[in-house]
C-alpha cells in the first residue's frame, strides 16, 4: 500500500525527484484569525537533514500535503502515509482537530487553512520552513477526512490537486461541495468498503465533481480501513 500511495501522489504532482530523505517531525499549533483564532494542532512530517523531532528541513523546496484523518481515528493511524511521502520530498501536515464529535465544516476549513498557512511559512524568515516550501500542494484525506477534503477544496484553487481515500459523505454535503471543486482530483475507493460503500459515498462525490481532470480508482477487495495502519475504532466499525 505504501508504494501504491507514493506512486499515485508522485504522478499527480508531476514531481520528479527520486531522493530519499530522512523524516523530520514537528508539532505546531496554528491559529486561524478568520475563525476567532481557532487553534489547529498539526503534526508535520517533512524531508529533513536528519531524522527526528525539530530537525532542519532538507535543502530544496517541497510540495505540501494537508491530510485529514478518519472519524475517531488519530493521526498516528496514518504512519503509512507520512513514512511513504515525506522521504520522497513532501511536507505532510496532519491536523489533529475534530477527533471527538466532529464538525466536518471546521475540519474542511482546517485543511484549507493549512495549505495557505504553510505556504506563507516559506516566506517567514523565522519559520523552520523558510524558503523550503514549493508551489504545488494537495489536500488529501481518508474517510471523514476524505469527505472533508471536498469541503476544503470547494471554490478553492489554492491546492494544486485533491486525493481522497474511501471518502465518506459529510454534513454539510461533500456531494454538493464537489460541484464546486475544479482542481484535478483522484478519488480512490475500496471495492469491499462496507463503512462508506462506494455507490453511496465516493461515486456520487466523483460524479458531481466539476473538475475537467478527474480519475476514479476502485481497489478490488479493498476495505475501508486498508488505507491506514491498524486502528481499533475503524476495524470495529467495519467488522460490525
Amino acid at each position: 500500500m505504501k508504494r501504491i500511495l507514493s506512486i499515485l501522489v508522485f504522478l499527480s504532482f508531476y514531481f520528479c525527484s527520486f531522493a530519499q530523505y530522512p523524516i523530520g517531525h514537528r508539532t505546531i499549533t496554528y491559529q486561524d484569525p478568520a475563525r476567532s483564532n481557532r487553534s489547529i494542532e498539526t503534526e508535520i512530517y517533512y524531508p529533513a537533514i536528519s531524522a527526528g523531532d525539530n530537525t532542519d528541513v532538507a535543502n530544496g523546496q517541497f510540495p505540501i500535503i494537508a491530510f485529514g484523518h478518519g472519524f475517531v481515528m488519530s493521526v498516528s493511524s496514518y504512519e503509512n502515509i507520512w513514512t511513504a511521502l515525506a522521504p520522497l520530498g513532501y511536507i505532510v501536515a496532519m491536523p489533529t482537530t475534530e477527533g471527538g464529535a466532529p464538525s466536518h465544516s471546521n475540519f474542511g476549513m482546517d485543511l484549507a487553512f493549512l495549505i495557505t498557512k504553510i505556504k506563507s511559512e516559506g516566506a517567514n524568515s523565522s519559520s523552520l520552513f523558510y524558503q523550503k516550501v514549493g508551489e504545488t500542494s494537495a489536500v488529501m484525506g481518508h474517510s471523514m477526512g476524505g469527505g472533508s477534503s471536498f469541503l476544503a477544496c470547494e471554490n478553492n484553487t489554492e491546492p494544486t490537486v485533491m486525493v481522497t481515500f474511501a471518502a465518506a459523505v459529510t454534513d454539510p454535503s461533500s456531494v454538493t461541495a464537489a460541484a464546486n471543486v475544479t482542481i484535478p482530483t483522484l478519488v480512490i475507493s475500496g471495492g469491499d468498503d462496507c463503512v462508506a460503500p462506494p455507490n453511496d459515498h465516493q461515486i456520487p462525490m466523483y460524479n458531481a465533481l466539476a473538475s475537467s481532470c478527474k480519475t476514479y480508482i476502485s481497489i478490488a477487495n479493498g476495505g475501508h480501513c486498508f488505507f491506514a495502519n491498524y486502528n481499533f475504532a475503524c476495524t470495529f466499525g467495519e467488522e460490525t
Side-chain angles (χ1 to χ4, degrees):
M1 182 62 75
K2 284 185 182 180
R3 188 174 298 276
I4 291 172
L5 298 180
S6 301
I7 291 171
L8 290 172
V9 180
F10 177 89
L11 291 175
S12 71
F13 277 161
Y14 306 101
F15 184 66
C16 299
S17 171
F18 294 93
Q20 290 287 318
Y21 297 95
I23 299 174
H25 167 254
R26 173 172 284 194
T27 303
I28 300 178
T29 299
Y30 295 111
Q31 275 76 42
D32 183 359
R35 290 182 287 161
S36 302
N37 284 326
R38 171 179 167 86
S39 293
I40 305 167
E41 183 185 71
T42 308
E43 303 293 344
I44 305 179
Y45 300 89
Y46 54 89
I49 300 268
S50 59
D53 291 337
N54 303 313
T55 57
D56 289 338
V57 182
N59 293 326
Q61 294 187 320
F62 306 104
I64 307 161
I65 296 171
F67 187 94
H69 61 79
F71 176 61
V72 296
M73 294 180 69
S74 66
V75 165
S76 63
S77 299
Y78 298 96
E79 184 177 1
N80 61 314
I81 299 293
W82 80 69
T83 57
L85 297 178
L88 291 178
Y90 296 94
I91 299 168
V92 183
M94 296 183 162
T96 65
T97 53
E98 303 307 320
S103 163
H104 299 150
S105 179
N106 276 332
F107 200 38
M109 286 188 281
D110 291 346
L111 293 169
F113 170 80
L114 286 174
I115 295 291
T116 303
K117 179 63 178 178
I118 296 176
K119 279 190 175 182
S120 74
E121 294 288 271
N124 179 358
S125 60
S126 63
S127 170
L128 175 72
F129 300 102
Y130 179 56
Q131 296 183 336
K132 303 293 186 179
V133 182
E135 293 297 319
T136 52
S137 59
V139 173
M140 297 174 62
H142 170 236
S143 190
M144 176 185 77
S148 297
S149 295
F150 285 84
L151 305 181
C153 295
E154 182 178 16
N155 296 313
N156 182 9
T157 57
E158 182 74 17
T160 309
V161 297
M162 181 176 74
V163 182
T164 64
F165 307 103
V169 171
T170 58
D171 181 16
S173 172
S174 48
V175 177
T176 300
N180 297 307
V181 175
T182 59
I183 60 174
T185 299
L186 178 61
V187 175
I188 306 174
S189 69
D192 290 344
D193 187 339
C194 59
V195 175
N199 286 339
D200 299 325
H201 292 263
Q202 297 95 58
I203 291 175
M205 285 184 270
Y206 176 79
N207 288 340
L209 280 165
S211 174
S212 60
C213 179
K214 62 181 184 178
T215 299
Y216 180 87
I217 294 175
S218 176
I219 298 177
N221 303 314
H224 187 77
C225 303
F226 290 1
F227 297 101
N229 289 350
Y230 173 79
N231 175 270
F232 174 80
C234 189
T235 301
F236 180 78
E238 187 151 30
E239 288 179 348
T240 56

